[in-house]
Amino acid sequence: MNFQPDYRHIVNAAYNREAVRLPLYEHIVSADVIGKITGKDFSFLYDGDDNDIREYFRLYCQFFRDYGYDVIPFECCIGQIMPGAGALGNCRITPAIRTRADFDACPWDEIPDLFFKKNSRYFKALSHAMPEGMKAVGGVGNGVFEIVQDLTGYQNLCYISADDEELYSQLFQKAGQISRLIWTRFLEEFKDTYCLLRFGDDLGYKSNTLLSGDDIRTHILPQYRHIIDLVHAKGKPFLLHSCGCIFSIMEDLIACGINAKHSNEDQIAPFPYWVETYGDRIGNFGGIDLDVVCSASREEMKEYIGDVIRTCSGHGGFAFGSGNSIPDYVPAGGYVNMIEIVREIRGDYRT
């Protein structure tokens, strides 16, 4: 086997053109899982000096090349640098913004510089380590909804929507403004490292959207459109990662200009449903429910993956991977089984 990565396969899938070779795709792969697979220590990215960071990205990129990927997933999230943030993933944190006074006191103007002060060296190291034939997928993590929630928390955001409609609206406007400023600079400095840009913004849960469809259309999607337009102006496709049952707003998301969508969960709808429903207009990324990656035997997984690929072939561009991501708790063996089965099906191991 002499695998040669070619990022154009993922670009074709994002533009809803069925790729000549089905590309593998992951939104995020835990460094801990990669370390278990490779036997390397990946714990030093955010603690090391510049030499450590370069070595991290050399090993990180090599993993994806060695395991049959055409692209390297990497993003840095806005929420990680916002003063007082953290309420998105931790309901025990006191939200930084609960009132108008909190909103006014937030150092909004400092956030773009904080983002690049922390993260530019990671993007530069990624670019330096990029293997031939590969490019990155990702960019600036966190969509507008997640940025707002990181400062307000979800429950408190709902209170604000009822108690102060003006503040509720201004939160999304300000998050969109900050996001646009960061994306504008990011694209100027690092667009050549990336072939596909994305952010993650989980708009739904298992049975519905987290905010009303009207609120999403009014406050969130206009902010998406600005960022998607920036990406398109640089000649790049845009991928939205959004978990949950978001069928009620999918037409609106497509109208915003997304080129492709990622995330699927069998309890909501299996991946072929997304492909058959939207594959005539957008690329679809995902494929296998994460529970299957965690619990299925290799034979069970092979049957599952084979069924998905056969069903989806001929229905537009798609890329295969987990329906969400590969976090720490995913068994390394299950993840490797998934990769190897896809590579067997697409013929990587033929001599």
Side-chain angles (χ1 to χ4, degrees):
M1 179 184 67
N2 184 24
F3 174 75
Q4 296 296 324
D6 186 344
Y7 70 87
R8 292 173 295 183
H9 293 307
I10 210 93
V11 172
N12 280 331
Y15 280 130
N16 202 26
R17 300 187 290 258
E18 193 160 355
V20 173
R21 180 179 68 207
L22 175 63
L24 285 160
Y25 173 82
E26 286 302 333
H27 180 62
I28 297 169
V29 181
S30 159
D32 183 61
V33 174
I34 296 175
K36 290 175 182 176
I37 294 169
T38 62
K40 306 289 186 180
D41 178 12
F42 280 83
S43 64
F44 57 84
L45 171 60
Y46 297 110
D47 298 323
D49 60 18
D50 286 346
N51 289 330
D52 290 331
I53 291 168
R54 284 192 290 269
E55 177 64 6
Y56 175 96
F57 281 103
R58 184 188 71 80
L59 295 172
Y60 182 73
C61 291
Q62 190 63 45
F63 167 78
F64 287 98
R65 192 200 183 286
D66 288 349
Y67 280 82
Y69 287 82
D70 297 296
V71 290
I72 313 292
F74 186 73
E75 65 182 15
C76 292
C77 290
I78 296 174
Q80 292 174 344
I81 53 84
M82 292 190 301
L88 173 64
N90 189 344
C91 63
R92 295 182 177 87
I93 288 179
T94 300
I97 296 179
R98 291 178 289 176
T99 66
R100 164 68 58 182
D102 295 336
F103 176 86
D104 292 339
C106 181
W108 296 105
D109 293 343
E110 299 174 15
I111 292 173
D113 285 341
L114 289 173
F115 181 86
F116 289 99
K117 182 179 180 180
K118 176 178 174 58
N119 297 316
S120 286
R121 62 177 183 162
Y122 304 126
F123 292 124
K124 290 175 181 177
L126 171 67
S127 178
H128 185 266
M130 191 66 62
E132 184 178 357
M134 303 185 79
K135 284 188 181 290
V137 174
V140 181
N142 296 134
V144 173
F145 185 39
E146 291 189 355
I147 293 170
V148 171
Q149 286 183 89
D150 226 2
L151 292 169
T152 68
Y154 174 68
Q155 184 177 27
N156 186 60
L157 179 63
C158 295
Y159 293 152
I160 292 172
S161 73
D163 296 339
D164 191 336
E165 292 183 8
E166 183 181 21
L167 175 58
Y168 183 67
S169 176
Q170 288 181 326
L171 280 162
F172 292 105
Q173 292 174 21
K174 182 60 74 171
Q177 178 189 31
I178 295 303
S179 189
R180 290 197 300 277
L181 288 170
I182 293 172
W183 270 102
T184 298
R185 179 173 167 185
F186 172 83
L187 289 167
E188 289 297 328
E189 295 184 13
F190 302 112
K191 67 179 185 301
D192 291 340
T193 304
Y194 285 77
C195 66
L196 173 60
L197 286 308
R198 66 149 201 250
F199 56 65
D201 215 19
D202 291 341
L203 297 171
Y205 60 103
K206 287 186 179 181
S207 60
N208 209 337
T209 54
L210 285 160
L211 299 180
S212 71
D214 286 344
D215 276 11
I216 292 171
R217 295 180 193 99
T218 300
H219 300 296
I220 296 177
L221 299 193
Q223 308 302 333
Y224 281 15
R225 187 180 291 275
H226 291 308
I227 296 166
I228 293 168
D229 286 349
L230 288 173
V231 170
H232 288 170
K234 297 299 182 183
K236 310 284 185 177
F238 180 84
L239 166 71
L240 173 68
H241 167 93
S242 183
C243 296
C245 183
I246 61 172
F247 296 117
S248 63
I249 57 166
M250 274 299 296
E251 296 299 329
D252 303 282
L253 289 166
I254 293 170
C256 273
I258 67 169
N259 299 102
K261 191 264 182 191
H262 174 255
S263 185
N264 65 276
E265 184 179 357
D266 284 355
Q267 290 186 40
I268 298 170
F271 183 67
Y273 179 86
W274 294 91
V275 174
E276 291 167 354
T277 305
Y278 304 110
D280 59 335
R281 288 172 289 166
I282 60 171
N284 288 276
F285 287 30
I288 184 169
D289 189 280
L290 199 57
D291 286 346
V292 180
V293 180
C294 290
S295 62
S297 68
R298 187 181 180 100
E299 286 305 310
E300 291 169 335
M301 198 182 298
K302 187 171 184 178
E303 181 178 0
Y304 181 110
I305 292 172
D307 287 343
V308 169
I309 292 175
R310 282 190 295 272
T311 304
C312 294
S313 295
H315 291 276
F318 72 102
F320 195 94
S322 74
N324 191 314
S325 59
I326 305 297
D328 292 348
Y329 63 78
V330 171
Y335 173 44
V336 171
N337 281 342
M338 183 204 77
I339 293 170
E340 291 180 346
I341 290 165
V342 174
R343 299 189 73 186
E344 287 171 5
I345 291 171
R346 74 185 190 185
D348 281 12
Y349 301 129
R350 294 173 191 156
T351 57

